[in-house]
Every structure is written in structure tokens, then in C-alpha cells.
Amino acid sequence: PTATAPATATATATATEEASPAPASEPSPPPSPMALLESAKRARLAGRPRDAAIALDTLRRRYRSDPRAALAAFELGRLRLDNLGDAPGAVEALNDAIVLAPQGSFREDAEARRVDALDAEGAPGCAEARDAYLVRYPKGIHATMVAARCNGK
């Protein structure tokens, strides 16, 4: 009887393991900011701007405190305006880029592109954004283009 007890316990344990469902696999961790930037780059190079936009949007929304979030928002605004024809979406992303990095090296570009996007959508805030850009960057690289937007001719 003692010799069969361990065998019976082992058989019971094996039967219990077989009857139990396998543990669910751990969900994979979300992609890192670097992985999302790489994914966006690959998508852009492959001519898939929507996929690039999804990766950039995910980065800026999921990793707001990451220094790359502002750049992702800026690039997303550019993609939406230049490749996807989504001026309202571009305005939203460019506003976010400015909020995320108010002193960012691309702030002037973001503000100029925001004016361009507001002009493209015919938004009521266009003249105000244009004037704010011109006050902040009177001799800016985009000043001539920005001054001509929003019926500034």
C-alpha cells in the first residue's frame, strides 16, 4: 500500500493538471516609445502613412511624459496635414506638440504648420493663430508664408 500511494498521488496530480485549463499567457507588454517611432518610420518608408500615424498617435497618448511624445505629436500633425488630408486632426496633434514641449526646438515649425492646417480647414481661430505666430516670430523662417494665410494675402 505504501508503494502505490506515491504513484496514486502522482496520477491524481497529473489528471488534475490535464483537466485544468492552461494558464493564460501573459499579455505582451505595450510597445516602447522607441519601438513605436521605429514602426512609424518603417510605415512611412513603406508608403503607409495611416499606419505611421497610428504608431505616432499611440506614442503621444500612451507615453505623455516621454520626451519623444512631443516629437511624435509634431510628426503626426505633419502626416495628417501633408499625407492624409486631415486638417482638423493636424491642428489637434500640433496643438498637442506645443503643449507637450512649449520650449521645444520645433515649436516655431509646429505653430506655422498649425496656421497652415487652420487655414486649410477654414477654422475661425486661423487669424488669431497667424497673428500669435507673427508676434512670437516676426522674422521667423515661416513668417512670409504664415502672414499670407487666413486671408492675410
Side-chain angles (χ1 to χ4, degrees):
T2 42
T4 58
T8 305
T10 303
T12 305
T14 303
T16 304
E17 288 170 8
E18 289 173 6
S20 300
S25 62
E26 291 290 319
S28 58
S32 70
M34 180 60 84
L36 288 165
L37 279 177
E38 287 297 319
S39 176
K41 179 181 175 183
R42 283 192 308 275
R44 269 197 314 259
L45 290 173
R48 298 186 333 268
R50 285 202 192 290
D51 292 340
I54 289 168
L56 293 168
D57 197 33
T58 300
L59 192 160
R60 75 173 176 124
R61 290 179 188 276
R62 186 177 291 157
Y63 299 102
R64 299 212 41 93
S65 62
D66 188 284
R68 294 166 283 206
L71 178 61
F74 176 68
E75 290 296 327
L76 176 61
R78 286 181 40 187
L79 266 177
R80 285 178 173 172
L81 185 62
D82 298 344
N83 299 100
L84 301 175
D86 178 11
V91 170
E92 187 268 332
L94 293 164
N95 284 338
D96 201 27
I98 293 165
V99 166
L100 287 167
Q103 305 304 319
S105 61
F106 51 83
R107 167 118 190 206
E108 180 182 354
D109 294 322
E111 287 197 34
R113 284 186 168 272
R114 179 176 58 179
V115 171
D116 202 24
L118 287 165
D119 189 47
E121 89 174 283
C126 188
E128 182 181 339
R130 175 199 63 211
D131 295 345
Y133 173 92
L134 293 171
V135 165
R136 180 172 268 230
Y137 307 103
K139 299 202 185 303
I141 192 166
H142 306 290
T144 302
M145 180 275 297
V146 168
R149 297 287 188 246
C150 315
N151 297 320
K153 307 211 186 307

PDB file of all heavy atoms in Angstrom, residues 81-115:
ATOM      1  N   LEU A  81      -1.653  66.461 -42.032  1.00  0.00           N
ATOM      2  CA  LEU A  81      -1.853  67.575 -42.956  1.00  0.00           C
ATOM      3  C   LEU A  81      -1.327  67.248 -44.348  1.00  0.00           C
ATOM      4  O   LEU A  81      -2.041  67.419 -45.340  1.00  0.00           O
ATOM      5  CB  LEU A  81      -1.174  68.838 -42.417  1.00  0.00           C
ATOM      6  CG  LEU A  81      -1.418  70.110 -43.230  1.00  0.00           C
ATOM      7  CD1 LEU A  81      -2.902  70.469 -43.253  1.00  0.00           C
ATOM      8  CD2 LEU A  81      -0.611  71.259 -42.650  1.00  0.00           C
ATOM      9  N   ASP A  82      -0.102  66.775 -44.442  1.00  0.00           N
ATOM     10  CA  ASP A  82       0.550  66.595 -45.744  1.00  0.00           C
ATOM     11  C   ASP A  82       0.152  65.325 -46.479  1.00  0.00           C
ATOM     12  O   ASP A  82       0.115  65.323 -47.709  1.00  0.00           O
ATOM     13  CB  ASP A  82       2.077  66.594 -45.570  1.00  0.00           C
ATOM     14  CG  ASP A  82       2.609  67.900 -45.012  1.00  0.00           C
ATOM     15  OD1 ASP A  82       1.883  68.914 -45.037  1.00  0.00           O
ATOM     16  OD2 ASP A  82       3.765  67.898 -44.540  1.00  0.00           O
ATOM     17  N   ASN A  83      -0.105  64.247 -45.755  1.00  0.00           N
ATOM     18  CA  ASN A  83      -0.348  62.967 -46.414  1.00  0.00           C
ATOM     19  C   ASN A  83      -1.772  62.444 -46.304  1.00  0.00           C
ATOM     20  O   ASN A  83      -2.203  61.678 -47.160  1.00  0.00           O
ATOM     21  CB  ASN A  83       0.592  61.895 -45.852  1.00  0.00           C
ATOM     22  CG  ASN A  83       2.042  62.242 -46.073  1.00  0.00           C
ATOM     23  OD1 ASN A  83       2.703  62.718 -45.162  1.00  0.00           O
ATOM     24  ND2 ASN A  83       2.544  62.033 -47.273  1.00  0.00           N
ATOM     25  N   LEU A  84      -2.458  62.810 -45.241  1.00  0.00           N
ATOM     26  CA  LEU A  84      -3.781  62.232 -45.008  1.00  0.00           C
ATOM     27  C   LEU A  84      -4.921  63.216 -45.262  1.00  0.00           C
ATOM     28  O   LEU A  84      -6.087  62.833 -45.188  1.00  0.00           O
ATOM     29  CB  LEU A  84      -3.863  61.671 -43.576  1.00  0.00           C
ATOM     30  CG  LEU A  84      -2.834  60.582 -43.257  1.00  0.00           C
ATOM     31  CD1 LEU A  84      -2.904  60.184 -41.790  1.00  0.00           C
ATOM     32  CD2 LEU A  84      -3.020  59.374 -44.162  1.00  0.00           C
ATOM     33  N   GLY A  85      -4.599  64.474 -45.522  1.00  0.00           N
ATOM     34  CA  GLY A  85      -5.642  65.461 -45.793  1.00  0.00           C
ATOM     35  C   GLY A  85      -6.573  65.679 -44.614  1.00  0.00           C
ATOM     36  O   GLY A  85      -7.742  66.000 -44.794  1.00  0.00           O
ATOM     37  N   ASP A  86      -6.060  65.540 -43.423  1.00  0.00           N
ATOM     38  CA  ASP A  86      -6.862  65.667 -42.203  1.00  0.00           C
ATOM     39  C   ASP A  86      -6.431  66.929 -41.451  1.00  0.00           C
ATOM     40  O   ASP A  86      -5.692  66.867 -40.472  1.00  0.00           O
ATOM     41  CB  ASP A  86      -6.678  64.418 -41.338  1.00  0.00           C
ATOM     42  CG  ASP A  86      -7.436  64.470 -40.018  1.00  0.00           C
ATOM     43  OD1 ASP A  86      -8.276  65.375 -39.828  1.00  0.00           O
ATOM     44  OD2 ASP A  86      -7.168  63.599 -39.164  1.00  0.00           O
ATOM     45  N   ALA A  87      -6.898  68.087 -41.933  1.00  0.00           N
ATOM     46  CA  ALA A  87      -6.505  69.357 -41.309  1.00  0.00           C
ATOM     47  C   ALA A  87      -6.957  69.454 -39.850  1.00  0.00           C
ATOM     48  O   ALA A  87      -6.159  69.850 -39.001  1.00  0.00           O
ATOM     49  CB  ALA A  87      -7.028  70.533 -42.133  1.00  0.00           C
ATOM     50  N   PRO A  88      -8.210  69.091 -39.510  1.00  0.00           N
ATOM     51  CA  PRO A  88      -8.597  69.169 -38.091  1.00  0.00           C
ATOM     52  C   PRO A  88      -7.744  68.257 -37.203  1.00  0.00           C
ATOM     53  O   PRO A  88      -7.353  68.639 -36.095  1.00  0.00           O
ATOM     54  CB  PRO A  88     -10.067  68.726 -38.080  1.00  0.00           C
ATOM     55  CG  PRO A  88     -10.553  68.956 -39.470  1.00  0.00           C
ATOM     56  CD  PRO A  88      -9.354  68.741 -40.361  1.00  0.00           C
ATOM     57  N   GLY A  89      -7.431  67.060 -37.692  1.00  0.00           N
ATOM     58  CA  GLY A  89      -6.573  66.154 -36.937  1.00  0.00           C
ATOM     59  C   GLY A  89      -5.163  66.704 -36.802  1.00  0.00           C
ATOM     60  O   GLY A  89      -4.510  66.535 -35.771  1.00  0.00           O
ATOM     61  N   ALA A  90      -4.701  67.385 -37.838  1.00  0.00           N
ATOM     62  CA  ALA A  90      -3.373  68.009 -37.788  1.00  0.00           C
ATOM     63  C   ALA A  90      -3.343  69.109 -36.745  1.00  0.00           C
ATOM     64  O   ALA A  90      -2.388  69.211 -35.968  1.00  0.00           O
ATOM     65  CB  ALA A  90      -3.002  68.563 -39.164  1.00  0.00           C
ATOM     66  N   VAL A  91      -4.388  69.937 -36.706  1.00  0.00           N
ATOM     67  CA  VAL A  91      -4.460  71.021 -35.714  1.00  0.00           C
ATOM     68  C   VAL A  91      -4.388  70.434 -34.307  1.00  0.00           C
ATOM     69  O   VAL A  91      -3.627  70.911 -33.458  1.00  0.00           O
ATOM     70  CB  VAL A  91      -5.746  71.865 -35.890  1.00  0.00           C
ATOM     71  CG1 VAL A  91      -5.933  72.814 -34.717  1.00  0.00           C
ATOM     72  CG2 VAL A  91      -5.704  72.626 -37.206  1.00  0.00           C
ATOM     73  N   GLU A  92      -5.157  69.385 -34.068  1.00  0.00           N
ATOM     74  CA  GLU A  92      -5.188  68.757 -32.738  1.00  0.00           C
ATOM     75  C   GLU A  92      -3.804  68.240 -32.357  1.00  0.00           C
ATOM     76  O   GLU A  92      -3.317  68.471 -31.255  1.00  0.00           O
ATOM     77  CB  GLU A  92      -6.235  67.629 -32.737  1.00  0.00           C
ATOM     78  CG  GLU A  92      -6.480  67.016 -31.382  1.00  0.00           C
ATOM     79  CD  GLU A  92      -5.586  65.809 -31.116  1.00  0.00           C
ATOM     80  OE1 GLU A  92      -5.188  65.129 -32.082  1.00  0.00           O
ATOM     81  OE2 GLU A  92      -5.284  65.574 -29.929  1.00  0.00           O
ATOM     82  N   ALA A  93      -3.132  67.542 -33.276  1.00  0.00           N
ATOM     83  CA  ALA A  93      -1.810  66.981 -32.982  1.00  0.00           C
ATOM     84  C   ALA A  93      -0.772  68.089 -32.789  1.00  0.00           C
ATOM     85  O   ALA A  93       0.074  68.004 -31.889  1.00  0.00           O
ATOM     86  CB  ALA A  93      -1.383  66.040 -34.105  1.00  0.00           C
ATOM     87  N   LEU A  94      -0.823  69.131 -33.603  1.00  0.00           N
ATOM     88  CA  LEU A  94       0.145  70.229 -33.486  1.00  0.00           C
ATOM     89  C   LEU A  94      -0.070  71.009 -32.196  1.00  0.00           C
ATOM     90  O   LEU A  94       0.900  71.415 -31.541  1.00  0.00           O
ATOM     91  CB  LEU A  94       0.072  71.129 -34.715  1.00  0.00           C
ATOM     92  CG  LEU A  94       0.549  70.445 -36.005  1.00  0.00           C
ATOM     93  CD1 LEU A  94       0.099  71.224 -37.234  1.00  0.00           C
ATOM     94  CD2 LEU A  94       2.052  70.245 -35.989  1.00  0.00           C
ATOM     95  N   ASN A  95      -1.334  71.213 -31.814  1.00  0.00           N
ATOM     96  CA  ASN A  95      -1.600  71.835 -30.508  1.00  0.00           C
ATOM     97  C   ASN A  95      -0.986  70.997 -29.391  1.00  0.00           C
ATOM     98  O   ASN A  95      -0.391  71.537 -28.453  1.00  0.00           O
ATOM     99  CB  ASN A  95      -3.106  71.989 -30.270  1.00  0.00           C
ATOM    100  CG  ASN A  95      -3.713  73.127 -31.038  1.00  0.00           C
ATOM    101  OD1 ASN A  95      -3.036  74.065 -31.448  1.00  0.00           O
ATOM    102  ND2 ASN A  95      -5.024  73.057 -31.249  1.00  0.00           N
ATOM    103  N   ASP A  96      -1.125  69.688 -29.516  1.00  0.00           N
ATOM    104  CA  ASP A  96      -0.582  68.790 -28.503  1.00  0.00           C
ATOM    105  C   ASP A  96       0.945  68.863 -28.472  1.00  0.00           C
ATOM    106  O   ASP A  96       1.550  68.842 -27.400  1.00  0.00           O
ATOM    107  CB  ASP A  96      -1.055  67.361 -28.769  1.00  0.00           C
ATOM    108  CG  ASP A  96      -0.970  66.469 -27.546  1.00  0.00           C
ATOM    109  OD1 ASP A  96      -1.040  66.980 -26.406  1.00  0.00           O
ATOM    110  OD2 ASP A  96      -0.835  65.244 -27.729  1.00  0.00           O
ATOM    111  N   ALA A  97       1.571  68.960 -29.628  1.00  0.00           N
ATOM    112  CA  ALA A  97       3.036  69.072 -29.678  1.00  0.00           C
ATOM    113  C   ALA A  97       3.496  70.312 -28.918  1.00  0.00           C
ATOM    114  O   ALA A  97       4.479  70.264 -28.173  1.00  0.00           O
ATOM    115  CB  ALA A  97       3.510  69.134 -31.129  1.00  0.00           C
ATOM    116  N   ILE A  98       2.774  71.405 -29.073  1.00  0.00           N
ATOM    117  CA  ILE A  98       3.130  72.653 -28.399  1.00  0.00           C
ATOM    118  C   ILE A  98       2.921  72.524 -26.890  1.00  0.00           C
ATOM    119  O   ILE A  98       3.747  72.976 -26.099  1.00  0.00           O
ATOM    120  CB  ILE A  98       2.338  73.825 -29.002  1.00  0.00           C
ATOM    121  CG1 ILE A  98       2.800  74.050 -30.455  1.00  0.00           C
ATOM    122  CG2 ILE A  98       2.499  75.090 -28.168  1.00  0.00           C
ATOM    123  CD1 ILE A  98       1.868  74.929 -31.276  1.00  0.00           C
ATOM    124  N   VAL A  99       1.837  71.881 -26.495  1.00  0.00           N
ATOM    125  CA  VAL A  99       1.562  71.672 -25.068  1.00  0.00           C
ATOM    126  C   VAL A  99       2.621  70.766 -24.441  1.00  0.00           C
ATOM    127  O   VAL A  99       3.109  71.039 -23.341  1.00  0.00           O
ATOM    128  CB  VAL A  99       0.149  71.074 -24.868  1.00  0.00           C
ATOM    129  CG1 VAL A  99      -0.040  70.539 -23.454  1.00  0.00           C
ATOM    130  CG2 VAL A  99      -0.917  72.105 -25.191  1.00  0.00           C
ATOM    131  N   LEU A 100       2.977  69.707 -25.149  1.00  0.00           N
ATOM    132  CA  LEU A 100       3.943  68.746 -24.608  1.00  0.00           C
ATOM    133  C   LEU A 100       5.358  69.307 -24.525  1.00  0.00           C
ATOM    134  O   LEU A 100       6.136  68.893 -23.670  1.00  0.00           O
ATOM    135  CB  LEU A 100       3.943  67.466 -25.451  1.00  0.00           C
ATOM    136  CG  LEU A 100       2.717  66.567 -25.282  1.00  0.00           C
ATOM    137  CD1 LEU A 100       2.676  65.509 -26.380  1.00  0.00           C
ATOM    138  CD2 LEU A 100       2.717  65.917 -23.908  1.00  0.00           C
ATOM    139  N   ALA A 101       5.702  70.232 -25.412  1.00  0.00           N
ATOM    140  CA  ALA A 101       7.063  70.798 -25.409  1.00  0.00           C
ATOM    141  C   ALA A 101       6.995  72.285 -25.730  1.00  0.00           C
ATOM    142  O   ALA A 101       7.347  72.708 -26.825  1.00  0.00           O
ATOM    143  CB  ALA A 101       7.950  70.077 -26.408  1.00  0.00           C
ATOM    144  N   PRO A 102       6.516  73.093 -24.770  1.00  0.00           N
ATOM    145  CA  PRO A 102       6.356  74.515 -25.048  1.00  0.00           C
ATOM    146  C   PRO A 102       7.659  75.215 -25.430  1.00  0.00           C
ATOM    147  O   PRO A 102       7.632  76.234 -26.109  1.00  0.00           O
ATOM    148  CB  PRO A 102       5.774  75.090 -23.758  1.00  0.00           C
ATOM    149  CG  PRO A 102       5.836  74.019 -22.743  1.00  0.00           C
ATOM    150  CD  PRO A 102       6.110  72.723 -23.433  1.00  0.00           C
ATOM    151  N   GLN A 103       8.784  74.666 -25.023  1.00  0.00           N
ATOM    152  CA  GLN A 103      10.093  75.240 -25.388  1.00  0.00           C
ATOM    153  C   GLN A 103      10.819  74.355 -26.404  1.00  0.00           C
ATOM    154  O   GLN A 103      12.022  74.502 -26.586  1.00  0.00           O
ATOM    155  CB  GLN A 103      10.958  75.426 -24.135  1.00  0.00           C
ATOM    156  CG  GLN A 103      10.324  76.250 -23.036  1.00  0.00           C
ATOM    157  CD  GLN A 103       9.889  77.635 -23.496  1.00  0.00           C
ATOM    158  OE1 GLN A 103      10.581  78.296 -24.244  1.00  0.00           O
ATOM    159  NE2 GLN A 103       8.720  78.058 -23.054  1.00  0.00           N
ATOM    160  N   GLY A 104      10.087  73.460 -27.046  1.00  0.00           N
ATOM    161  CA  GLY A 104      10.709  72.516 -27.977  1.00  0.00           C
ATOM    162  C   GLY A 104      11.375  73.194 -29.151  1.00  0.00           C
ATOM    163  O   GLY A 104      10.962  74.276 -29.585  1.00  0.00           O
ATOM    164  N   SER A 105      12.399  72.548 -29.676  1.00  0.00           N
ATOM    165  CA  SER A 105      13.149  73.117 -30.798  1.00  0.00           C
ATOM    166  C   SER A 105      12.300  73.247 -32.056  1.00  0.00           C
ATOM    167  O   SER A 105      12.632  74.016 -32.944  1.00  0.00           O
ATOM    168  CB  SER A 105      14.377  72.246 -31.090  1.00  0.00           C
ATOM    169  OG  SER A 105      13.970  70.943 -31.446  1.00  0.00           O
ATOM    170  N   PHE A 106      11.196  72.531 -32.129  1.00  0.00           N
ATOM    171  CA  PHE A 106      10.338  72.569 -33.304  1.00  0.00           C
ATOM    172  C   PHE A 106       9.084  73.418 -33.092  1.00  0.00           C
ATOM    173  O   PHE A 106       8.172  73.393 -33.901  1.00  0.00           O
ATOM    174  CB  PHE A 106       9.932  71.142 -33.714  1.00  0.00           C
ATOM    175  CG  PHE A 106       9.375  70.348 -32.567  1.00  0.00           C
ATOM    176  CD1 PHE A 106       8.059  70.468 -32.187  1.00  0.00           C
ATOM    177  CD2 PHE A 106      10.197  69.487 -31.860  1.00  0.00           C
ATOM    178  CE1 PHE A 106       7.561  69.751 -31.117  1.00  0.00           C
ATOM    179  CE2 PHE A 106       9.709  68.760 -30.793  1.00  0.00           C
ATOM    180  CZ  PHE A 106       8.383  68.895 -30.422  1.00  0.00           C
ATOM    181  N   ARG A 107       9.056  74.183 -32.015  1.00  0.00           N
ATOM    182  CA  ARG A 107       7.860  74.973 -31.693  1.00  0.00           C
ATOM    183  C   ARG A 107       7.493  75.921 -32.833  1.00  0.00           C
ATOM    184  O   ARG A 107       6.331  76.039 -33.192  1.00  0.00           O
ATOM    185  CB  ARG A 107       8.072  75.760 -30.397  1.00  0.00           C
ATOM    186  CG  ARG A 107       7.006  76.834 -30.167  1.00  0.00           C
ATOM    187  CD  ARG A 107       6.222  76.630 -28.973  1.00  0.00           C
ATOM    188  NE  ARG A 107       5.080  77.523 -28.914  1.00  0.00           N
ATOM    189  CZ  ARG A 107       4.534  77.882 -27.805  1.00  0.00           C
ATOM    190  NH1 ARG A 107       5.010  77.439 -26.655  1.00  0.00           N
ATOM    191  NH2 ARG A 107       3.474  78.647 -27.804  1.00  0.00           N
ATOM    192  N   GLU A 108       8.450  76.639 -33.368  1.00  0.00           N
ATOM    193  CA  GLU A 108       8.139  77.563 -34.461  1.00  0.00           C
ATOM    194  C   GLU A 108       7.515  76.818 -35.641  1.00  0.00           C
ATOM    195  O   GLU A 108       6.515  77.264 -36.209  1.00  0.00           O
ATOM    196  CB  GLU A 108       9.396  78.307 -34.922  1.00  0.00           C
ATOM    197  CG  GLU A 108       9.102  79.283 -36.048  1.00  0.00           C
ATOM    198  CD  GLU A 108      10.315  80.025 -36.584  1.00  0.00           C
ATOM    199  OE1 GLU A 108      11.412  79.886 -36.012  1.00  0.00           O
ATOM    200  OE2 GLU A 108      10.149  80.738 -37.583  1.00  0.00           O
ATOM    201  N   ASP A 109       8.089  75.677 -36.000  1.00  0.00           N
ATOM    202  CA  ASP A 109       7.539  74.875 -37.093  1.00  0.00           C
ATOM    203  C   ASP A 109       6.129  74.387 -36.766  1.00  0.00           C
ATOM    204  O   ASP A 109       5.246  74.387 -37.628  1.00  0.00           O
ATOM    205  CB  ASP A 109       8.439  73.676 -37.391  1.00  0.00           C
ATOM    206  CG  ASP A 109       9.792  74.086 -37.928  1.00  0.00           C
ATOM    207  OD1 ASP A 109       9.860  75.053 -38.708  1.00  0.00           O
ATOM    208  OD2 ASP A 109      10.790  73.445 -37.559  1.00  0.00           O
ATOM    209  N   ALA A 110       5.916  73.973 -35.523  1.00  0.00           N
ATOM    210  CA  ALA A 110       4.598  73.498 -35.117  1.00  0.00           C
ATOM    211  C   ALA A 110       3.562  74.617 -35.203  1.00  0.00           C
ATOM    212  O   ALA A 110       2.443  74.400 -35.682  1.00  0.00           O
ATOM    213  CB  ALA A 110       4.647  72.925 -33.700  1.00  0.00           C
ATOM    214  N   GLU A 111       3.927  75.800 -34.760  1.00  0.00           N
ATOM    215  CA  GLU A 111       2.986  76.919 -34.829  1.00  0.00           C
ATOM    216  C   GLU A 111       2.687  77.297 -36.275  1.00  0.00           C
ATOM    217  O   GLU A 111       1.537  77.596 -36.625  1.00  0.00           O
ATOM    218  CB  GLU A 111       3.514  78.116 -34.041  1.00  0.00           C
ATOM    219  CG  GLU A 111       3.421  77.901 -32.542  1.00  0.00           C
ATOM    220  CD  GLU A 111       3.538  79.201 -31.761  1.00  0.00           C
ATOM    221  OE1 GLU A 111       3.066  80.248 -32.240  1.00  0.00           O
ATOM    222  OE2 GLU A 111       4.090  79.146 -30.644  1.00  0.00           O
ATOM    223  N   ALA A 112       3.695  77.303 -37.137  1.00  0.00           N
ATOM    224  CA  ALA A 112       3.478  77.632 -38.550  1.00  0.00           C
ATOM    225  C   ALA A 112       2.596  76.583 -39.220  1.00  0.00           C
ATOM    226  O   ALA A 112       1.670  76.919 -39.960  1.00  0.00           O
ATOM    227  CB  ALA A 112       4.820  77.739 -39.273  1.00  0.00           C
ATOM    228  N   ARG A 113       2.868  75.343 -38.940  1.00  0.00           N
ATOM    229  CA  ARG A 113       2.044  74.275 -39.531  1.00  0.00           C
ATOM    230  C   ARG A 113       0.617  74.305 -38.983  1.00  0.00           C
ATOM    231  O   ARG A 113      -0.327  73.981 -39.690  1.00  0.00           O
ATOM    232  CB  ARG A 113       2.690  72.913 -39.293  1.00  0.00           C
ATOM    233  CG  ARG A 113       3.864  72.701 -40.208  1.00  0.00           C
ATOM    234  CD  ARG A 113       4.410  71.287 -40.082  1.00  0.00           C
ATOM    235  NE  ARG A 113       5.325  71.025 -41.160  1.00  0.00           N
ATOM    236  CZ  ARG A 113       4.976  70.558 -42.354  1.00  0.00           C
ATOM    237  NH1 ARG A 113       3.723  70.325 -42.633  1.00  0.00           N
ATOM    238  NH2 ARG A 113       5.880  70.333 -43.270  1.00  0.00           N
ATOM    239  N   ARG A 114       0.477  74.702 -37.728  1.00  0.00           N
ATOM    240  CA  ARG A 114      -0.872  74.831 -37.165  1.00  0.00           C
ATOM    241  C   ARG A 114      -1.653  75.900 -37.926  1.00  0.00           C
ATOM    242  O   ARG A 114      -2.826  75.705 -38.260  1.00  0.00           O
ATOM    243  CB  ARG A 114      -0.801  75.165 -35.679  1.00  0.00           C
ATOM    244  CG  ARG A 114      -2.182  75.327 -35.049  1.00  0.00           C
ATOM    245  CD  ARG A 114      -2.112  75.567 -33.581  1.00  0.00           C
ATOM    246  NE  ARG A 114      -1.328  76.758 -33.284  1.00  0.00           N
ATOM    247  CZ  ARG A 114      -1.121  77.226 -32.075  1.00  0.00           C
ATOM    248  NH1 ARG A 114      -1.607  76.597 -31.031  1.00  0.00           N
ATOM    249  NH2 ARG A 114      -0.420  78.310 -31.882  1.00  0.00           N
ATOM    250  N   VAL A 115      -1.019  77.030 -38.230  1.00  0.00           N
ATOM    251  CA  VAL A 115      -1.683  78.081 -39.025  1.00  0.00           C
ATOM    252  C   VAL A 115      -2.062  77.527 -40.390  1.00  0.00           C
ATOM    253  O   VAL A 115      -3.180  77.746 -40.874  1.00  0.00           O
ATOM    254  CB  VAL A 115      -0.782  79.331 -39.163  1.00  0.00           C
ATOM    255  CG1 VAL A 115      -1.365  80.321 -40.166  1.00  0.00           C
ATOM    256  CG2 VAL A 115      -0.576  79.998 -37.806  1.00  0.00           C
TER     257      VAL A 115
END
